[in-house]
Structures are given as C-alpha cells and as structure tokens.
Amino acid sequence: MNEMDNKWIGKNTIRPDGADKVTGRAEYGADTIMPGMIWGKVLRSPYPHATIKSINTKKAEELDGVFSVATSADCVDFPVDTPVILGIQDIRWMARNVLAKEKALFHGHPIAAVAARTEEIAEKACELIEVDYVVHPWAIEIDDAIKPDAPILHDFIKFDGKPSNIAGTLEHKKGNIEEGFKDADIIIEKEFETAAVHQGYLETHACLVSVSPDDRTTIWSSSQGQFMVRAMTSFITGIPQSSIRAIPAEIGGGFGGKTIVYLEPVATILSKKSGRPVKMVMTREEVMRASGPTSGSKSKVKIGAKNNGKITAAQGTFYLQAGAFPGAPIRGAAGCCLAPYDIPNAHTFGYDVVSNRSKVAAYRAPGAPIGAYAVECVLDEVAEALKMCPLEFRLKNAAKEGTKAVHGPTYPVMGYVETLEACLSHPHYKAPLKKLQGRGYASGFWFNAGGESSAQVNITEDGNVVVTTGHPDIGGSRASIANITAELLGIDVNRVSVLIGDTATIGFSNLTGGSRVLFASALVVTESTNQVIDILKDRASKIWNIDKEAIEWENGEARPAGDNAGKFKPLSLVELAEQATPTGGPIGAGHQVNTVGAEGGFATHICDVEVDIELGIARVIRYTAAQDVGKAIHPAYVEGQLQGGVVQGIGWALNEEYIYNKEGKLDNPGFLDYRIPVCSDLPMIDTILVEVPNPQHPQGVRGVGEVPIVPPLSAIANAIYNAIGTRFYSLPMSPPKVLEKISD
Amino acid sequence: MSEVKFISPETIEQAVDAYSKSSKEGNTKILAGGTDLLVQIRSGISQPDTIIDIKNIKELKEISNDNGSYTIGAAVAGAVLDEEEDFGNNWPGVLEALKLIGSEQIQGRASLGGNLCNASPAGDSVPALIASGATVKIQGPEGERKMPIESFHVGPGKTNLKNGEIVVNFQFPKKQKHSGDAYLRMIPRTEMDIAVVGCAVNVTIENDKCVDARVALGAVAPTALLIEDASKALIGSNFEKKAVEKAALACEAACNPIDDKRGTISYRKKVSKVLFKRALEKAIERAKRG
C-alpha cells in the first residue's frame, strides 16, 4: 500500500471509546448490577507464611445475611506436583493464588470468601471464619529466600537436588564468553538491585458473576482477556468453558496486571453456592497487597570491549522475585537485555525466586526493564571509560538486519539503528545543560507477540460496517482497527464501528498483552475484510452478469474493470448492501488464526534530570523517546503508549517500591505512600516515531506498548550520574537514598 | 456500618453541650471538612457513634480583621482563606502551608482547625501557625481558654483538648512592619504527598537586624516543634552565615524523628537544616518587601 495514498491509516481519527469515557458512560468492571445481587468479600491471611491446618466457616455461615462461603475445598484439586499449563501460567499456582490451599504464602493471601447481602455483612462474616494456622518463618527479599537455611515455601521445588526457593532458571548463550573477555581491553562489572513495583492501574479488580441452577455462568469483569477469564474460571471451578460466558468491561488500566484472575473464580463459586449473582470489588489496599506487582531483582552484569569501541563479551545474571508461586519474568530480563547489540560472545542467566510476597503478574515488557537497567548502566560506564559518546558507542555495536541475537533469532529488517540516529539528530541531544543537570541515554527491546486472534466483519443492511474482535482494548486497538478497515474498504472511518465481542459472540482470541493485539487482530481483520471485498465483488458480478475477476474494488465501490471498464455504473457499498438479500444474503466474513510474524521493537531514550543535592531529589526535566513503531496506524495513540511507558519507568526509577515491615507485611499499600508520579512531577514526554515497517505484516505493525518502559530506568540513572558524578546501583533512586550516597 | 448519630448544631454552646454529653456515652468525632475523618472512618481507624458537624456554626466560619489582627474560624476552608486577599499578604507562610494540604478538591473542605485537631506530626499548617505566633481559642463546658499553638499537641493524634472542648478560631498577632513568614516542606513528589520534613520561619527585621524570629519544624518529632534555640541564634544577628548555621544546627538538634517508610532519621535531620535555610531566605525576602 502506498503510504502517501493512505486516507485513514496513520491518521489521528476520533477515538470510538472517547465519548463514553469522557461523559462517564463507559461501563467498567464495577459498573454492572443485577437484581438479587449480593456482595462477596475475601478473608486474607494475616501472616506471610503459615500452614493452614483447618478452616471453620460455621459461624460465618450462620450470620444473618450471609448466603455462601467459599474456600479452596470448593475448587478443583490440582496436585502440586503436576503442571497444568495455560499460556504462560500454571493453573496449579493460579488456583492456590485465588484461594490458598495447603499454606498461606503471603500477607493478604486469600483464605476464604463470603457472599452476603451487603459488603459490611460479608466483611463481618469474614472475621467470624476461624482459621487454625501454624506460622512459619518467612523470607521476603531475594537474599533471604536463597540463603542456605531459608524457609522453604514449596517443599517439592528442588534446586541442585535440594528443596529450594529457586523455582527455575533460563539461560541464553552465544560464542565463547571466556575468549570474549580475553579479547577485551576494558571490562566493567557491576551489581544492581531493583524494588518490586506495581502496575498502578486506577481501576481495581472487579467482577459480577451469575451462575444459573444448571451451571450456566455469566461473568462481567474488567480484564485483559475475556477468554483468559473463561478458561481460568473453568479450570478452577470445573464448569466447562461452553457453559461460561465472559463479557469484557471497559478496562481502567491493566499494564499486564489483568492477565490473570483473582476474583472471578471465587465469585463463581459463591454464586453457584448461593444461587445469587455475586459482585466483588477489590479495595486499593487489596490490589496493592494481593495482586501482582512485578519482580524486585538483583543482578550482576559484566561487559568487555576493545579500545576501538567494539563489545567483545557480555555476561548477565538476574535473580527475579516471583512472589509466592513460580513464574518470575526471567525471560524478559535475560532475553531482552542484550537484544539491541551485536555481541559475539554472551551469556545471560535468570533465576526464578519464590518468596513470601504476592505472586507477580505481568507488567509492561515483563522483566525487560530489569535486564536493561543493569546492562544499559554498565554500557554507560564502558562508553565513559572509552571516552565515547554513549549513543555513538551503541551505534558501533548496534544489531542490524541479519544479526544473530543472543536470545536466538536472526533479525529481519529492524529499526534500532534508526532510533539511535534519530536521537543523534534531535535538538535534545545538543541542548545545553545547567549546573546540576545531566543527560542520560539508554536503549531497550521487547519481543512483541502474535498468537490467536479472531475477527468478524459484517456489512449492515444500510451499507455500513461492524467489526468484532476478541481483545479488550487497552491501548487504542478499536481506533486502529477502524482506521485499517476503512482504508481497506475505501470508506469513511465513521462508517466503521469496532466492538469487542464476548466469549460467546466471537472466536477464541488470546489476551491483550505482549504487545500483540494490533499485530494479530489487524491480520485477521485484514483477511476478513478482504473476504468481504471478495463477496462484494461477487455480488456486483451477479448484478452485472460479468465475471467477478473483471471487477475491482476501489474507493468504497465495485467498478467494472478490464474489458468491461466503464460499461456499468459503479456499485457502492450502500447499493450492494441494499441488494444483499436477492444477491445471496447477508454480507460478512470472519477469520481466526494463530498469527505468526511478530517482530520485536527497539527504542532509544534521552533523559535530562536536575538534582537537588541538598535534598537528594532528582527530577526529570526533559525526555525524548525514539522508537521503531513499525507503522503508526493511529499516531496519537502510539505517542500515548510511548509517553505512558516512560512515565511508569520514571516512577520505577525514582520513587515506587514495595516496602515490607518487620512482620513481613507490605507497609505502603496505597497511592499515598506507594508513589506513582503525579502530573506535576513530569515534563512533556517528546516522542520520535521511527517507522520501519514489519515486513511480515500487511500494515507493517510492530507492537508499541511495552518497549517504552524498558529504557527509562537506566536513562535516568545515567542522567543522574552525568549531573552529579555519582552512580546509583539500586532502585528506586528516592531522596533518602540519593542524599545518603552523595553525603558519604 | 452500624448506625451513627449525626448532630449539626448552629451555636458553639450547642456543640459543646452535645460533645460533652455524647463523649461520655461513646466515641464522638468532630467533623469540619471531614478530609481526615472520612478517610479514617472508611479505613476502619475511626468508628464513631456520634459525629458532630461544626460547619454550620457561624463563628467557626468567620474571617475577621481587627486593625491588622486576623481571627480565622476553625472550619474556614483553605480555598475560602485563599480568596481573602489580604490574609495572604500578611501571612503568606501560613497560607502556603494550608494550601499544600491535599488536592484542589480537598482545599474546598480542609481547614486549619481540622489540620490542628487531626494532630498528625506532619500536618502542614501547624509549623506555620506556630511560627506566626497565633493562638487558638478553645471553648468547652468550663468556658473559654486560649493556648499558643505549640502547646496544643501532646503526641501523634493527641491534643491538650479536654472533654467537650472544641477549637473555635485562630487569633493572629498584628503583623509587624518588615516581617515575613514562609513554609517549605520536603516531599518526594511535587504534590499529593505528606511532609517528610516541614519548616516554617517568621522573621522581623529592623535596620537589617533580626529583631524577632520564630522557627518551627514538622514531621521530625511526635509533635510539631517551636525551635527556640533557632530563634535565639537569629535574634540580634544580621543573618550572617554563622548565626544561620547555628540556627540550622539548633533545628537539627531538636529533631527527634523516626525511621519509617517516608524517610530515615538521618535524612530528616539533614533535610531539616536545608529546609530551615531555604525557608529563612524566603521569609527574609518577604520581610524586606513588607
């Protein structure tokens, strides 16, 4: 498709969800109500680590107004030693995270749940549940979890033949690491730490579930995947997927944190047992205590380079917190950290460490910011030692088309070099700095993803278009799909309506995550739309009584072509729709497939900070993010993704952290003391959209949502060093930490 | 939630009467703007049987200026005081401290009286009120009494109010010529946060000499503190480096903070000195102007 001719792709069309959202009409997870609805509440563990000997729910059940009580005894039993894999999750762990079984593994772990006439009664009933605990010593931090005499969370997890909290490892190797370091003129090795951080979505988890007497179940909830909700609820409750209809609500932020369930299976059990629709809404405190943050980490990175600036070897070891159950995003850390570079000899190693924290959930490029933080900080030190500009140093070692990446693939066409060049030629690169101001640079990578997607494109009787896909829209997929459909059909974008189907109305579609949705759904929508165009040509051929092949579709109408050109008056979409019934019936087509051909995304960021050295406060005063976005289908939304990722990275770098007290409890379970950035903390985030289209996609789409959170942690650390000459190896770089280090 | 009795008196006498009676029977809370109380009720920290809403009492909502001496009702909201133009010209430090409490929306409800009675060691307006030299008027079953702000608190969440007593208003001294006050706080973010350290300074200058000074710190001890040694170091000086340094050291020495999620002991001590110097500079600048 010739880009210059694009009418809708690349245009900032009006958001189809905008009017509802700004007028308060949009229905989020907590907005659905039903007649006869009752409220569910969760009893949570007061201990970070305890064996549950017994749960007595009798008194709670007897309380006036209580309808049902649920414990893990009501869930399907998944033996601890048999994996039950669903995507990247294991239902063994998911079931135990939703309702604790043998043990309470973190403070706030759900133990039981009550459904009652009001939330207050349900809460009171929770207090009446008697749980007999045997309290164990606990481990919160990685060092405490991996020391020789650490309390073991799961007895059957073995490492080196012994019970361990190391639940898994992953490594990537390329070349010969020893030889690589031998060739180096300079080697720098450093250790780093990052704190666990929460996704910080504003909408707390919420759902309404109604189970009929024959087990037919309807779930309204806010999630990143209605099919994920259906599948996990089915596994945990034993109700077949065919009996569950999961209806996606608008989503008030997810960032990966809503790719698993917390409430839906519990509400389903409570509804099934009570015969009433059950609504559950988490408080912010529950979200902070018991829904997934991403891992805290410790890591060590060693990089060697020649005096001419070529990197000869790189090595990285990453320990990531998994929380109470295995599944830390070590692949993101060990797999992405060296991806922007062409390094002949490399070795990365990740450890998945369980401890008595809430189970981690995906968070925007899971694990990748942790890996990149360590690598990009060391690269900054190597560049300094070599007296090279950090961007030129990266350019000299940049991966290109044909480079074999450390994590495996050989890259096709990709735009990393272009992001470096865009930064080098941007005014920000040369802008003057004042005293105590500094500039830092960092790059980042994320895999992106394809996977299952379904779409249906229907022509309405009045000749307009309804597109249905199966992915919750968390980053502008509806607007982008509207642009693509309008472009393909050659009609005004306002004639295209894009809806998110529920599990009963559209084919299986994997969840919204991995930066996969636009890549995947654009593929199936394109295929469906092309099929519709084919049908439309077929209908015109019937009306004109000529071969379908002699018809072309252009500008929203069927035109006779070739020998027949000009012989008939073109038939518009509206005219063809009017004649749909006599020419063969309804016009529409659907497509469902496991999409392949997703390609990674690269970014390079420039960050300026100013440090108040008396108070230890670092503030970001200017920020520019350059990213290979493939093709920006809706540029404003793409910019929004870049800006949002950067802002979350700024929070991660400067102030956000899970703080545990001596009792093993989270001490800051709210937005007052868990400090995500507020607007006044931030400068305008400038974006540079580099477009190197993905050759394996009809519109050139690459995922854009995750890469932008990867570089900020190190870009900010490097900028602080540039401002005050002190390097920080531990996040967050909060004022007390900064002041303490610079006062030394 | 169980039933709560809600009383909305229109006179101080009615309020005091209701308060002293209901306090004997159960847990009673006074409601002004409610920006602290409602949060405490929701989170289960406070479970009152009776709430007495004092917003409808005229005297508690009044602002008056008697020849340069301001009296501000305990329940006057931050946004209302902000619109009282001349108050900010007289006591810019008090106003800037009050305005730091919460967001724009909170400012429509939050009051000096509420901030004082909530008795958080980190309450922003308290150090500024102490530095201003304001007194608080209290009325109870045994009549009326006045108290300097620095004597009001006993510890976190605890005040010197006796049973049935309510705070009526704040009385500010007449602003001296060439005096100025300022309040600064340290928070990790730029807004929507709680002071890790707060410092208020109020100075009066005559012929380039400091003739009066009051310095107060918040969030560094169980209650906000008046730092008398800092006043002594400044009074009589020309704000020369030595005097300022001595006053800053007095601030640091007075700190008795805790290590918590918001800041460490050593951080709070260091920051108290820095904020003092910065607030002093701002106060001097204002004093020279007015």
Side-chain angles (χ1 to χ4, degrees):
Chain A
M1 192 178 294
N2 184 345
E3 157 138 5
M4 299 302 287
D5 297 337
N6 282 349
K7 252 188 143 152
W8 304 110
I9 289 177
K11 300 293 186 296
N12 290 326
T13 51
I14 290 172
R15 298 169 56 148
D17 53 325
D20 276 357
K21 283 181 178 166
V22 300
T23 56
R25 282 164 190 266
E27 284 192 15
Y28 291 92
D31 288 335
T32 313
I33 50 170
M34 267 186 99
M37 182 182 92
I38 56 174
W39 290 83
K41 272 292 183 193
V42 173
L43 171 71
R44 296 178 182 277
S45 171
Y47 305 110
H49 193 191
T51 295
I52 301 167
K53 287 185 74 182
S54 67
I55 304 175
N56 186 344
T57 60
K58 193 163 175 285
K59 284 183 190 159
E61 282 160 27
E62 284 168 2
L63 184 70
D64 188 36
V66 170
F67 285 80
S68 57
V69 179
T71 67
S72 65
D74 299 301
C75 300
V76 173
D77 182 21
F78 295 98
V80 283
D81 49 4
T82 314
V84 186
I85 301 302
L86 179 74
I88 59 166
Q89 300 296 338
D90 188 327
I91 295 296
R92 274 183 299 173
W93 310 137
M94 197 53 59
R96 284 170 174 79
N97 195 47
V98 162
L99 281 170
K101 199 171 169 70
E102 299 85 359
K103 270 176 162 186
L105 290 160
F106 59 93
H107 174 256
H109 196 162
I111 304 295
V114 175
R117 200 170 59 238
T118 66
E119 271 185 295
E120 288 75 22
I121 297 171
E123 260 168 30
K124 205 171 267 177
C126 282
E127 289 167 18
L128 295 174
I129 295 173
E130 293 162 348
V131 187
D132 189 5
Y133 292 104
V134 178
V135 180
H136 305 301
W138 61 86
I140 301 288
E141 303 303 334
I142 290 169
D143 284 340
D144 297 328
I146 61 175
K147 66 184 180 188
D149 57 344
I152 298 296
L153 272 74
H154 306 280
D155 289 325
F156 67 94
I157 293 178
K158 303 272 196 301
F159 187 74
D160 276 348
K162 284 182 294 231
S164 171
N165 291 322
I166 295 175
T169 59
L170 176 145
E171 69 181 317
H172 294 293
K173 270 183 174 169
K174 184 185 169 189
N176 182 323
I177 193 83
E178 286 78 22
E179 292 298 318
F181 282 117
K182 256 184 232 163
D183 286 350
D185 296 316
I186 170 175
I187 296 173
I188 289 179
E189 182 174 21
K190 297 287 174 189
E191 290 182 31
F192 299 84
E193 279 179 356
T194 68
V197 293
H198 198 271
Q199 296 83 349
Y201 33 83
L202 289 184
E203 182 195 24
T204 65
H205 299 269
C207 70
L208 171 66
V209 180
S210 177
V211 184
S212 67
D214 59 357
D215 275 4
R216 279 181 303 108
T217 302
T218 310
I219 302 172
W220 292 264
S221 75
S222 166
S223 79
Q224 288 177 241
Q226 62 274 44
F227 292 91
M228 172 279 297
V229 168
R230 181 177 76 174
M232 287 191 179
T233 304
S234 170
F235 267 107
I236 293 169
T237 63
I239 299 171
Q241 290 190 19
S242 54
S243 292
I244 300 174
R245 182 179 181 194
I247 300 172
E250 281 294 338
I251 177 166
F255 313 108
K258 291 177 184 167
T259 55
I260 57 177
V261 291
Y262 297 97
L263 299 177
E264 290 90 338
V266 180
T268 302
I269 293 166
L270 290 171
S271 176
K272 187 177 167 176
K273 289 178 89 169
S274 64
R276 297 279 204 118
V278 174
K279 182 163 177 165
M280 297 182 81
V281 180
M282 277 199 201
T283 62
R284 175 68 52 198
E285 184 174 339
E286 287 180 295
V287 169
M288 298 303 286
R289 287 199 192 285
S291 77
T294 193
S295 314
S297 71
K298 52 177 278 175
S299 51
K300 188 190 264 190
V301 163
K302 181 177 172 183
I303 292 174
K306 300 281 261 184
N307 284 330
N308 66 9
K310 284 298 281 183
I311 298 171
T312 59
Q315 189 173 28
T317 310
F318 306 95
Y319 290 84
L320 269 68
Q321 294 161 357
F325 299 100
I330 46 179
R331 177 174 165 261
C336 294
C337 64
L338 299 173
Y341 307 105
D342 185 1
I343 301 175
N345 308 292
H347 184 201
T348 62
F349 206 102
Y351 291 92
D352 182 2
V353 182
V354 295
S355 68
N356 297 107
R357 297 166 162 266
S358 49
K359 173 181 160 49
V360 299
Y363 179 20
R364 217 167 188 155
I370 290 168
Y373 164 58
V375 164
E376 298 290 317
C377 284
V378 173
L379 286 177
D380 199 64
E381 295 194 38
V382 175
E384 186 192 22
L386 294 171
K387 299 188 171 59
M388 284 182 78
C389 155
L391 289 180
E392 297 286 357
F393 173 57
R394 285 174 173 82
L395 201 52
K396 192 158 183 126
N397 293 286
K400 302 176 187 70
E401 184 179 355
T403 299
K404 170 111 173 90
V406 175
H407 66 284
T410 300
Y411 292 126
V413 178
M414 56 177 270
Y416 175 50
V417 165
E418 287 82 348
T419 67
L420 292 166
E421 287 167 345
C423 286
L424 282 164
S425 59
H426 192 275
H428 188 172
Y429 177 67
K430 287 191 175 143
L433 290 164
K434 293 182 189 146
K435 211 179 151 214
L436 298 177
Q437 295 180 346
R439 183 163 296 147
Y441 309 91
S443 294
F445 168 81
W446 178 247
F447 310 109
N448 294 324
E452 304 90 337
S453 229
S454 302
Q456 176 72 31
V457 177
N458 288 334
I459 306 300
T460 56
E461 296 99 294
D462 61 357
N464 292 311
V465 186
V466 176
V467 182
T468 308
T469 70
H471 315 285
D473 176 2
I474 65 174
S477 57
R478 277 171 293 191
S480 303
I481 289 295
N483 284 4
I484 289 170
T485 311
E487 191 75 53
L488 292 170
L489 280 169
I491 58 171
D492 190 284
V493 76
N494 295 312
R495 292 173 59 192
V496 181
S497 174
V498 184
L499 307 174
I500 315 298
D502 63 60
T503 57
T505 57
I506 188 72
F508 175 70
S509 299
N510 212 324
L511 51 76
T512 300
S515 286
R516 58 171 297 268
V517 162
L518 189 59
F519 169 82
S521 63
L523 273 170
V524 288
V525 167
T526 299
E527 175 58 29
S528 306
T529 307
N530 286 338
Q531 285 178 28
V532 165
I533 291 171
D534 208 48
I535 295 167
L536 290 165
K537 290 200 287 196
D538 185 56
R539 301 299 171 88
S541 83
K542 283 180 177 153
I543 293 166
W544 291 329
N545 205 13
I546 61 172
D547 276 356
K548 189 171 81 179
E549 285 64 38
I551 295 169
E552 59 184 20
W553 185 265
E554 221 184 296
N555 245 347
E557 55 188 26
R559 294 176 181 172
D563 292 350
N564 297 303
K567 281 191 186 165
F568 306 99
K569 188 170 165 283
L571 284 164
S572 69
L573 184 56
V574 171
E575 288 164 328
L576 288 166
E578 273 172 1
Q579 299 192 55
T581 301
T583 56
I587 301 168
H591 190 61
Q592 37 198 166
V593 74
N594 181 33
T595 62
V596 293
E599 284 302 334
F602 295 85
T604 302
H605 292 186
I606 314 177
C607 169
D608 290 357
V609 299
E610 183 171 278
V611 183
D612 182 330
I613 52 167
E614 289 182 320
L615 298 179
I617 299 173
R619 296 233 188 274
V620 176
I621 53 170
R622 186 171 181 181
Y623 206 104
T624 304
Q627 185 174 319
D628 173 13
V629 300
K631 173 70 198 161
I633 305 297
H634 191 290
Y637 256 123
V638 174
E639 285 174 5
Q641 287 293 316
L642 268 55
Q643 290 165 330
V646 169
V647 168
Q648 290 186 310
I650 290 172
W652 195 336
L654 294 180
N655 277 309
E656 291 180 39
E657 61 178 320
Y658 264 44
I659 302 169
Y660 280 83
N661 64 21
K662 286 181 188 136
E663 284 81 47
K665 299 172 188 173
L666 182 64
D667 220 8
N668 56 338
F671 281 150
L672 182 59
D673 287 308
Y674 181 86
R675 294 190 175 85
I676 63 173
V678 295
C679 284
S680 54
D681 294 340
L682 303 163
M684 182 65 190
I685 313 290
D686 282 331
T687 59
I688 310 171
L689 305 185
V690 173
E691 292 187 306
V692 179
N694 176 359
Q696 302 178 91
H697 191 273
Q699 287 85 26
V701 168
R702 294 175 195 268
V704 299
E706 298 185 86
V707 192
I709 200 176
V710 181
L713 282 52
S714 37
I716 294 165
N718 294 338
I720 291 175
Y721 171 71
N722 187 244
I724 60 169
T726 306
R727 289 205 184 266
F728 289 87
Y729 298 99
S730 170
L731 299 185
M733 295 175 284
S734 56
K737 245 154 115 177
V738 170
L739 191 64
E740 192 179 343
K741 185 148 183 180
I742 58 184
S743 310
D744 281 349
Chain B
M1 196 188 296
S2 48
E3 269 180 32
V4 176
K5 196 170 164 194
F6 190 86
I7 306 171
S8 191
E10 288 182 2
T11 67
I12 297 174
E13 290 71 27
Q14 285 169 3
V16 167
D17 190 43
Y19 192 22
S20 41
K21 275 184 191 147
S22 68
S23 298
K24 285 173 195 149
E25 290 154 18
N27 184 7
T28 301
K29 287 283 177 187
I30 299 287
L31 173 89
T35 57
D36 284 311
L37 182 61
L38 291 185
V39 176
Q40 289 163 4
I41 291 173
R42 278 194 166 225
S43 65
I45 293 170
S46 182
Q47 291 169 317
D49 315 300
T50 307
I51 292 173
I52 300 175
D53 178 6
I54 54 168
K55 274 195 305 294
N56 297 318
I57 303 170
K58 194 166 160 268
E59 201 175 345
L60 270 72
K61 300 285 278 183
E62 269 175 355
I63 300 173
S64 66
N65 180 359
D66 178 15
N67 194 26
S69 280
Y70 272 94
T71 301
I72 309 295
V76 170
V80 174
L81 196 55
D82 190 26
E83 284 175 7
E84 188 74 22
E85 198 183 321
D86 220 34
F87 181 81
N89 291 334
N90 280 273
W91 299 105
V94 173
L95 188 62
E96 70 195 351
L98 176 62
K99 284 178 68 184
L100 283 172
I101 301 167
S103 60
E104 199 75 21
Q105 291 91 329
I106 296 292
Q107 280 293 309
R109 309 278 296 185
S111 61
L112 288 174
N115 201 222
L116 186 75
C117 292
N118 188 49
S120 159
D124 281 306
S125 70
V126 180
L129 286 170
I130 292 174
S132 75
T135 55
V136 57
K137 184 172 129 183
I138 296 162
Q139 194 151 330
E142 270 140 49
E144 184 189 307
R145 60 184 180 127
K146 284 182 186 172
M147 200 189 282
I149 306 294
E150 56 269 28
S151 308
F152 189 82
H153 293 119
V154 180
K158 293 199 173 69
T159 71
N160 266 320
L161 286 178
K162 291 181 197 146
N163 191 23
E165 282 188 327
I166 61 170
V167 169
V168 177
N169 58 33
F170 296 87
Q171 296 175 351
F172 289 81
K174 189 170 155 57
K175 184 188 172 298
Q176 298 302 305
K177 207 174 170 209
H178 296 305
S179 71
D181 72 334
Y183 175 75
L184 289 175
R185 67 171 181 180
M186 189 283 154
I187 53 171
R189 286 189 290 214
T190 44
E191 58 182 336
M192 302 298 292
D193 220 325
I194 287 182
V196 177
V197 179
C199 182
V201 176
N202 177 20
V203 290
T204 308
I205 302 173
E206 253 177 50
N207 303 325
D208 292 333
K209 262 205 158 36
C210 175
V211 294
D212 196 8
R214 285 173 70 86
V215 178
L217 287 172
V220 295
T223 66
L225 302 172
L226 174 68
I227 315 295
E228 288 177 32
D229 286 347
S231 306
K232 280 184 203 153
L234 292 176
I235 293 170
S237 78
N238 299 314
F239 302 110
E240 68 273 10
K241 208 174 164 196
K242 205 176 143 197
V244 171
E245 199 56 42
K246 199 175 166 193
L249 286 172
C251 287
E252 189 186 24
C255 289
N256 178 23
I258 52 168
D259 261 327
D260 73 357
K261 59 196 172 190
R262 292 185 187 134
T264 57
I265 291 171
S266 75
Y267 183 74
R268 287 186 154 113
K269 287 189 161 205
K270 281 177 203 157
V271 167
S272 69
K273 283 199 293 188
V274 175
L275 283 193
F276 161 71
K277 288 180 189 173
R278 291 183 185 182
L280 175 66
E281 211 168 292
K282 211 168 162 186
I284 292 171
E285 195 194 304
R286 285 172 176 167
K288 284 181 177 165
R289 256 190 279 137

